[in-house]
Structure formats: structure tokens, C-alpha cells
Amino acid sequence: MSAADDISTILSSGIRLAVPLALAACGEYLAERAGTMNISLEAMMLGAAFGSVATASATGSATAGLVAGVLIGLVIGFVHGNLAHRLEINTFVVGLVLNALMLGLTSYLITISSFDSHQVAQVSVPWLRDIPLIGHPLFVERWPVYLLILVIPLTWWLVERSRWGLELRAVGEQPQAADVTGIRVNLRRRQALLWCGALAGLGGAYLAVGEVGSFNQNMTAGRGYIVIAAVIFGAWRLGRTLLGCALFGLADAMRLALPALGLTLNSQLLVVAPYLLALLAMLVFATGNREPKALGQPFERGST
Amino acid sequence: MRTVDERARELTPPSTPALRLRGISKRYGPVVASDDVDLDVEHGEIHGLLGENGAGKSTLMKILLGLVQRDSGTIMRGDTPVDVHNPQAAVALGIGMVHQHFSLIDALTVWENVILGDTGRIDRAAACRQVEEVSRRYGLPIDPAARVDRLSAGERQRVELIKCLRRDPSVLILDEPTSVLTQAESAELFTVLRHVVRAENRAVILISHKLAEITAATDRVTVLRKGRVVFHSATRDTTPPELARWMVGRDVSLRAEGAALGMLPVDGAPPAGTAPAETASPGTPPSEDTPPTEPPAEPPAEPAAAPAPPAVAAAPGVPSGGAATEIVPALRLSGLTVTTDGVTVLSDLSLDVAPGEIVGLYGVEGNGQSTLGDLLSGLLLPASGTVELAGRPVELERPGALHRAGLGIIPEDRHSSGVVLDMSVAENLVMKSVGDVSGRGFVSRRKMHAVARRLAAEFNIVAPSLDAPVRSLSGGNQQRVVLARELSAGPCVLVAAQPTHGLDVGAIEDMYRRLREAASGGVAVLLISTELEEVMALASRIAVISSGRITGVLPTAEATAERLGMLVGGVAA
Ligand SMILES: Nc1ncnc2c1ncn2[C@@H]1O[C@H](COP(=O)(O)OP(=O)(O)OP(=O)(O)O)[C@@H](O)[C@H]1O
Ligand SMILES: [Mg+2]
């Protein structure tokens, strides 16, 4: 009985830890297919986490907090897009600056303010939650978790089946050729960053008002980078990318559960273990070179 | 048919031209790419645009398409001046272009590429149907579901054409559309193009280096030289030699001209229907004007046929080269088999090339030539078979092994695998011999420039400067950069895949001279070409490839269009 319970608990927390990653990954995946290496994912998640807690506290509604998180992600995506794909500032520099800025800003703001704790409601599906082992982890969750059921297929459909996605892929592969065909390359890339911002914002907000109900300094702790790694090692395939996120979530859950199970390990090592594990797994699964050919390259007309 | 056409044209009033350019100028720093160009293109006409490499043809068309901004001048559609500041504007004005480079996305499928730039929902089935329909109408067979990076150069060109024609442009610009098509394919294209242009009253601007195409397919012709219009005439009032003279500014040798003219009828589909009057006159195969090959450099030129592998031995008419047993072939391909995705692209291909010999590998585009080229570039590995250089097998798994063993290659798709577009001309020129221009681990810029300057002068490479990125060179000049680098590396085997595609008449002449010089200097040359007159003019033996197999090897003297035609059709005659 206890073993099954332990597994169930680890699964539960694994899913919760993986959800923000998966949401952000859907965004980053789309942005990268359009050719933007969006480093500012971390800023999007962190800013949204803070904003959601602040908004939830001010309005008394955690859902309003989620919405605020999405908006903040959109704003950062908008800023990144305009700096990188209008003013043609190097996208990596833009990303790093935004990340540093957001870390400093939120760290400062949290010291001068205090917020009430709010969390989004939990959903518990009758009958299904009683399935042994996976019932509780899968069917008793905070409601934004179930947004993934919508977001994942939608992202896939957008990229693989919609005209917008076709143009995004073209822009990420051969922007010069896409331009010649009459596609507005930089506009598409900015739009992709908005999608990325919205989802990363949702992920960051879920981290705060979904899981914890409060904000602490550097709350995302590099999760944005983990997502970027997941997209890369997932070889720019949505399925593999999400698998990477799930693995990281599970490993992180194990780390948290081990002490409770009576196992002691060097705590520093424990902290890096999920990162290492995720990295290893992704390396093993990484296949072929499917990188969008123009990933990270700015587009400027006339250099044909 | 011609008279009906003529009458139809006379009946239509001398309406305003579809497109009118006035005083278009464009400079790139010191280079004047367009110099006060005036050009009228009428509805229902095919307008030929000729000029040497770097004459400014592509630049002028890019201005029309909004890809390059002009410094001065006006563009008029009908009577109204228009501003084409981006490609979207050009599409809205009904101007479509088949580009010389760069307009397909490799990672997408054919139908996805074709509908790229449209609006509205994606309907895969409808898109595929449209592709098939356009491809049937214009005789450009293609599988709509194929990924573009799997296609050969010829097939890609077809996709470009389909993509452009499907949008039903009223002004259609074709920048060297046939440089990778076979003669028969081009002939077919022009027949249909001409008909459709007449019937649908579209205007077409055709850029080509092939004078035969220009004379056969166009109504009027304009020649550009150093950015200026130097000659303008109705096509029927001029002759290919005159056009060649205007382009180059001097007389051009008959043989090179013959090749540029592309006059030999190929595999049972003579372009007779397309070229009513013109084909007949200068359409004599080069072999009648001049001997088909150089007087063979006596000693090693005799094909080393004695230890020949089965495929070659089976071929008819290979002279059993008497005492040639001693000679080790400089290049020996034996039993090469390549399969991609379950399709056998090369099947048991064997071929020898002796030192000092030029062997032409002739065949219709898409019969395994590009795979062989990739293999010899080290881009892919055969499932079985070996490549031997000077009797020594090459370890194909090791990157750069072929290059180290002394094989130089002029790849078919020079744009993607021949040059690094964003590196400078000088860097590209010395890329394969970095060791020679560096001391103690550093590249000496002085030495590099000295070498580059010498090569640029020797190969007539026209570039804004040696430090300019290769991207800024004209198509033909990018080509010369590859040639200069490969030939200067002193290879013992030279593989030249479609070496004259995109070159102007003068440059073709120069290229032929260089290949012959290389051969008489003892280099074994494998010339992969889809142009019959080219292999006839250069090679001493012609191997015919069909569906990835060598269907026969003939000495050039015994090769007639009929025999080759049968071999090309896969009939081992
Ligand atoms: N982006 C650029 N920057 C600098 N110079 C350029 C650029 N594009 C073209 N040029 C120069 O302008 C001139 C005309 O080039 P263009 O490509 O129009 O020639 P072309 O007639 O199309 O030749 P080809 O037959 O070789 O394709 C060349 O000298 C070329 O080096
Ligand atoms: Mg050109």
C-alpha cells in the first residue's frame, strides 16, 4: 500500500512540476520553428509568476492572476519581437538583457511589497480519480493543468496544419526564400513570439498562483532554460520536447520525495540531479539534425 | 500556326505595354548594376533579356520585384507609375518571378511550397490537385507530396515554375529557368509557354544564356552590358552570332557558340515545333564544323578498357585499348549502389576514367547524376561499391578523404554546396588550400589576397572587391569562384557536374578550354552533363546513365544522336 501511495505522490508532484514547463515548451517550440531562439523565456515565466501573484492579491482572484501572467508574457514577447525582429538587435543579447532585467525587477519588487496568497481551484474528476496509481495524479489537479489538453494539440495543429504555421516554418528555414514568396518574415517571427509569450506567461503564472500561491525570489530558477534545452534535445519535435519536460518534472519530483522516503543523498547533488537526468535522457533520444536552418539568424532583405 | 499568331498580334491594337521601365539605375558602391535602363514589355510577348555574367539582368528583375530598391527611374504598369517596394506589392501587381536561386524551402513538400504566399485555409487535397493540374498543363511532371530537398535540380526548377504559373501572373519573369532542364524539357516548356502567353495575353521576360532558346522562344530581345541596354531588336531581325557579339563585345568561337546555342536534337524530341525558322540554319552539330574532340592527347588518352568491370565491358563499341593494360585508371567507380528511402538511385554503377581523358556522363536530369555528384563530394555513402583513385580505394567514411586523395569537384548545385555565401570572395577562393596561405597556424591575409587576386584575374571573376561576400556576386561569377578554386588545387581527378550551367557564352568557351587544358595536363576529367553538344564537344568517351545504371559507353566518334537516344531511354543498344 505504501509503495503505491509513494508512486502516486511522486507522479502527482511530477505532473505539477512538468505542467509549467510543458506550457512554456509549446510556446518556445513554435517560436523556434519560426527561427527565433527565444532566450527571454525565463523572463516571460518569471515576470508572469510575479505579476500573477500581485494581480491575484489585488483582485482577490487567482484566475485574474493567470490572465495577468499571460498578458505579461505577451508584453515581453512583444518587446523581444520588436527589438530582435524590427530593430534587428541580436536576439540572444535581447534575451539575456530581458532575463537579467526581470530577475532584478521582481527581486526588488518582492522585497518592498507583500501579497495575500491565492490559488486557483482544484478539479477532482469523480470515478476517474479512484483509478489506482494514476487516478489521483491525473484527475485531481488545479484546473489550468487541463488547459494542456487544449494547448498541445492546438500548437501542433498551428505549426503543422495551419497556413500561419506553414509560413512560420518557411520563415524559420529559409527566410530569404520566404520573403521572395511574399511572406512578411519579421512579422511572422514577432507573431510567433507573442504565442510563445502567452504560453510562457501562462506557465509562469501557473507556477505561482497554481502551485504555490505566492512568489519568491527567482522563482523559476532556470526553468526557462530547461525548456529551451528540451526543445533543442527534442530535435524540434513537439512530442519529444514534451517528453523531455515530463522527464524533468518527474526527476524533480523524485528529488523532493527522496528525503521523505528516508533516502539521504548529498543535497547539492540532489538539486542538480534532475537537470543532469533530463540532459542525459534528451541526449539519448536526440536524433538527426532537424534544426530550423535559420534558427537565431536575423533576417534582412536584400542580402540574397 | 505562326501566321495566325502574327495576325493575332497585328489585330490587337498597339496598346500600352504591360510593363514599362524608364531610366532605371542602381549602383552597389562602385559597381553600376543598372545604368539608365529603358525597357518595354508588351502583353502577349516573350521578351528575351541577354547579357554576360554580371551584366545586371538579375538586379533589374529584382528591382521589378521589389527585392532591390532602385536609385532612380520609374516603373509603369500600363499607364500608371507604380511603386514596388516589396515582394508583396509585386505579387499584388501581378508580377511573378522564377528566381535564379533561392525561392523554395527545402524542408517543405512540393505542394506546401507551391501554396506558400497564398492566403486562406490550407486544403491539402486541393493544393495537390492544383499542382498536378498545372504540372499537366505545362508538362512539368512532379510528385506534389515529395519533400523539396529530395529533388534534383531539374525537378526543383519545375516546382518553381509550377509555383509561379499557378498564381497566374500577368507579367512573368523567368531568370535562367532552363539552366537545369534538358533540351527536350526546355523545348516542351517553351512550346507551352508561348502558347499560353499568346492565348492568355501575358507578358513574359525571359533571361537566358542559351541563345537558341532566346531566338526560338522570344519575340523581342534586349541585350544588357555592364548595366546598360546596348542592343534591342525584334528577335526575327537578328541572329545568334550577332547577339553573342553584343553580349560579349567580341566574336565568340563557333564551338562555344554551338554549345550555347544548344542545337543538337536530343533523344527523339527535336525542338522542331518550338523553333520554326531559326533551328535549321546554324543547327549543325559541332562535330561537323570542328572535330568533336581535341586531337586526342596521344599517350594516356586511350581508355583503359582492359580491366574494365562488367558494366563497361558489356557496353558496345568500347575499343579494347590494346596495350593500355598498364594504365591504372585515375578514377575507378565500381559497383556503386545507393538507395534512399527504398529507392535504388544508383545501381551497380561502374566507370573508369584514365589520366588525361575526358569521359562524359550523359543522361536526362534525375537519373542518378546528382546522387553520384553527392557521393563524389563525400556527402553520402554508397550501400556497396568502391571508389578508387589511382588504383587505391578511398575510405569514403572519412570526411575529406576524396579531397585528400586528389579529387576535385565542381558540384552541380554550386549555390548550396560550392561556396559559403557569406564569406568573402578571397576566403572562398583559398578555402581548400588554407595550408598554402597560412603560416604558424594563422591565415596570412597578404598571401590569401595575393592568391585570390591571381585567381580572380585568371578566371575573370568580376567582384566589387575580394573582401565582398560571395553573395553579392552575380550568379555566373559565383560559379567562377568554385571553378577557380577547384582547378587551382591541382587535382588528379576532376569531376565537373553541369559545369557550364548559368555561364555566358564567353565563359563557356573559357570553361571548355580549361577542362581540355586540365585533361592534356594529365588530369582525369569526369564530365557530368545533360547537354549532348557539351559532351560531344569535350569528351573522348560518352557513358550514358539511365535510371542509375550505365546503359552503355561509346567513343564519341561512334556516338550518334540515335544511339545515345536509345541508351538514354534505358535501352542497352
Ligand atoms: N548585393 C550586392 N552587393 C554588391 N554588388 C552586387 C550585389 N548584387 C549584385 N551585385 C553586382 O551587380 C552586378 C550585376 O549583378 P547581377 O546579379 O544583376 O548579374 P546577372 O546579369 O544576373 O549575371 P549572371 O548571368 O551571372 O546571373 C554584378 O557585378 C554584381 O557583382
Ligand atoms: Mg543572374
PDB file of all heavy atoms in Angstrom, chain B residues 301-316:
ATOM      1  N   ALA B 301      45.575   8.966 -73.390  1.00  0.00           N
ATOM      2  CA  ALA B 301      44.172   9.273 -73.614  1.00  0.00           C
ATOM      3  C   ALA B 301      43.337   8.045 -73.953  1.00  0.00           C
ATOM      4  O   ALA B 301      42.134   8.056 -73.812  1.00  0.00           O
ATOM      5  CB  ALA B 301      44.032  10.297 -74.730  1.00  0.00           C
ATOM      6  N   GLU B 302      43.999   6.993 -74.406  1.00  0.00           N
ATOM      7  CA  GLU B 302      43.245   5.794 -74.775  1.00  0.00           C
ATOM      8  C   GLU B 302      42.567   5.222 -73.534  1.00  0.00           C
ATOM      9  O   GLU B 302      43.190   5.027 -72.504  1.00  0.00           O
ATOM     10  CB  GLU B 302      44.209   4.764 -75.366  1.00  0.00           C
ATOM     11  CG  GLU B 302      43.529   3.689 -76.178  1.00  0.00           C
ATOM     12  CD  GLU B 302      42.752   4.252 -77.368  1.00  0.00           C
ATOM     13  OE1 GLU B 302      43.048   5.401 -77.792  1.00  0.00           O
ATOM     14  OE2 GLU B 302      41.868   3.568 -77.844  1.00  0.00           O
ATOM     15  N   PRO B 303      41.294   4.972 -73.631  1.00  0.00           N
ATOM     16  CA  PRO B 303      40.592   4.494 -72.444  1.00  0.00           C
ATOM     17  C   PRO B 303      41.167   3.180 -71.939  1.00  0.00           C
ATOM     18  O   PRO B 303      41.467   2.290 -72.696  1.00  0.00           O
ATOM     19  CB  PRO B 303      39.157   4.305 -72.943  1.00  0.00           C
ATOM     20  CG  PRO B 303      39.223   4.374 -74.420  1.00  0.00           C
ATOM     21  CD  PRO B 303      40.417   5.195 -74.760  1.00  0.00           C
ATOM     22  N   ALA B 304      41.300   3.104 -70.665  1.00  0.00           N
ATOM     23  CA  ALA B 304      41.841   1.891 -70.077  1.00  0.00           C
ATOM     24  C   ALA B 304      40.723   0.887 -69.926  1.00  0.00           C
ATOM     25  O   ALA B 304      40.170   0.705 -68.869  1.00  0.00           O
ATOM     26  CB  ALA B 304      42.464   2.198 -68.733  1.00  0.00           C
ATOM     27  N   ALA B 305      40.396   0.264 -71.012  1.00  0.00           N
ATOM     28  CA  ALA B 305      39.211  -0.572 -71.003  1.00  0.00           C
ATOM     29  C   ALA B 305      39.509  -2.014 -70.621  1.00  0.00           C
ATOM     30  O   ALA B 305      38.611  -2.780 -70.361  1.00  0.00           O
ATOM     31  CB  ALA B 305      38.542  -0.540 -72.370  1.00  0.00           C
ATOM     32  N   ALA B 306      40.778  -2.369 -70.623  1.00  0.00           N
ATOM     33  CA  ALA B 306      41.096  -3.780 -70.450  1.00  0.00           C
ATOM     34  C   ALA B 306      40.589  -4.381 -69.133  1.00  0.00           C
ATOM     35  O   ALA B 306      39.868  -5.364 -69.154  1.00  0.00           O
ATOM     36  CB  ALA B 306      42.596  -3.986 -70.594  1.00  0.00           C
ATOM     37  N   PRO B 307      40.932  -3.793 -67.999  1.00  0.00           N
ATOM     38  CA  PRO B 307      40.449  -4.410 -66.763  1.00  0.00           C
ATOM     39  C   PRO B 307      39.054  -3.920 -66.415  1.00  0.00           C
ATOM     40  O   PRO B 307      38.696  -3.848 -65.253  1.00  0.00           O
ATOM     41  CB  PRO B 307      41.461  -3.939 -65.727  1.00  0.00           C
ATOM     42  CG  PRO B 307      42.086  -2.691 -66.294  1.00  0.00           C
ATOM     43  CD  PRO B 307      41.661  -2.552 -67.717  1.00  0.00           C
ATOM     44  N   ALA B 308      38.324  -3.600 -67.440  1.00  0.00           N
ATOM     45  CA  ALA B 308      37.055  -2.930 -67.190  1.00  0.00           C
ATOM     46  C   ALA B 308      36.062  -3.833 -66.472  1.00  0.00           C
ATOM     47  O   ALA B 308      35.970  -5.024 -66.752  1.00  0.00           O
ATOM     48  CB  ALA B 308      36.455  -2.490 -68.516  1.00  0.00           C
ATOM     49  N   PRO B 309      35.343  -3.282 -65.550  1.00  0.00           N
ATOM     50  CA  PRO B 309      34.293  -4.021 -64.850  1.00  0.00           C
ATOM     51  C   PRO B 309      33.136  -4.337 -65.803  1.00  0.00           C
ATOM     52  O   PRO B 309      33.017  -3.727 -66.865  1.00  0.00           O
ATOM     53  CB  PRO B 309      33.852  -3.060 -63.754  1.00  0.00           C
ATOM     54  CG  PRO B 309      34.285  -1.712 -64.206  1.00  0.00           C
ATOM     55  CD  PRO B 309      35.489  -1.928 -65.054  1.00  0.00           C
ATOM     56  N   PRO B 310      32.285  -5.268 -65.428  1.00  0.00           N
ATOM     57  CA  PRO B 310      31.259  -5.797 -66.320  1.00  0.00           C
ATOM     58  C   PRO B 310      30.439  -4.750 -67.056  1.00  0.00           C
ATOM     59  O   PRO B 310      30.272  -4.851 -68.272  1.00  0.00           O
ATOM     60  CB  PRO B 310      30.360  -6.598 -65.379  1.00  0.00           C
ATOM     61  CG  PRO B 310      31.142  -6.817 -64.144  1.00  0.00           C
ATOM     62  CD  PRO B 310      32.248  -5.842 -64.108  1.00  0.00           C
ATOM     63  N   ALA B 311      29.971  -3.757 -66.333  1.00  0.00           N
ATOM     64  CA  ALA B 311      29.049  -2.812 -66.967  1.00  0.00           C
ATOM     65  C   ALA B 311      29.686  -2.164 -68.181  1.00  0.00           C
ATOM     66  O   ALA B 311      29.034  -1.923 -69.185  1.00  0.00           O
ATOM     67  CB  ALA B 311      28.621  -1.748 -65.974  1.00  0.00           C
ATOM     68  N   VAL B 312      30.972  -1.857 -68.068  1.00  0.00           N
ATOM     69  CA  VAL B 312      31.643  -1.202 -69.172  1.00  0.00           C
ATOM     70  C   VAL B 312      31.905  -2.202 -70.287  1.00  0.00           C
ATOM     71  O   VAL B 312      31.702  -1.927 -71.457  1.00  0.00           O
ATOM     72  CB  VAL B 312      32.966  -0.566 -68.692  1.00  0.00           C
ATOM     73  CG1 VAL B 312      33.716   0.016 -69.867  1.00  0.00           C
ATOM     74  CG2 VAL B 312      32.669   0.502 -67.664  1.00  0.00           C
ATOM     75  N   ALA B 313      32.311  -3.397 -69.877  1.00  0.00           N
ATOM     76  CA  ALA B 313      32.634  -4.395 -70.883  1.00  0.00           C
ATOM     77  C   ALA B 313      31.397  -4.735 -71.710  1.00  0.00           C
ATOM     78  O   ALA B 313      31.479  -4.952 -72.907  1.00  0.00           O
ATOM     79  CB  ALA B 313      33.164  -5.651 -70.218  1.00  0.00           C
ATOM     80  N   ALA B 314      30.268  -4.733 -71.058  1.00  0.00           N
ATOM     81  CA  ALA B 314      29.042  -5.088 -71.741  1.00  0.00           C
ATOM     82  C   ALA B 314      28.654  -4.048 -72.769  1.00  0.00           C
ATOM     83  O   ALA B 314      27.917  -4.329 -73.692  1.00  0.00           O
ATOM     84  CB  ALA B 314      27.915  -5.252 -70.735  1.00  0.00           C
ATOM     85  N   ALA B 315      29.165  -2.853 -72.577  1.00  0.00           N
ATOM     86  CA  ALA B 315      28.778  -1.784 -73.474  1.00  0.00           C
ATOM     87  C   ALA B 315      29.340  -2.003 -74.861  1.00  0.00           C
ATOM     88  O   ALA B 315      30.428  -2.527 -75.015  1.00  0.00           O
ATOM     89  CB  ALA B 315      29.278  -0.455 -72.935  1.00  0.00           C
ATOM     90  N   PRO B 316      28.591  -1.605 -75.862  1.00  0.00           N
ATOM     91  CA  PRO B 316      29.054  -1.808 -77.223  1.00  0.00           C
ATOM     92  C   PRO B 316      30.121  -0.798 -77.589  1.00  0.00           C
ATOM     93  O   PRO B 316      30.152   0.310 -77.067  1.00  0.00           O
ATOM     94  CB  PRO B 316      27.786  -1.578 -78.039  1.00  0.00           C
ATOM     95  CG  PRO B 316      26.985  -0.633 -77.202  1.00  0.00           C
ATOM     96  CD  PRO B 316      27.305  -0.941 -75.788  1.00  0.00           C
TER      97      PRO B 316
END
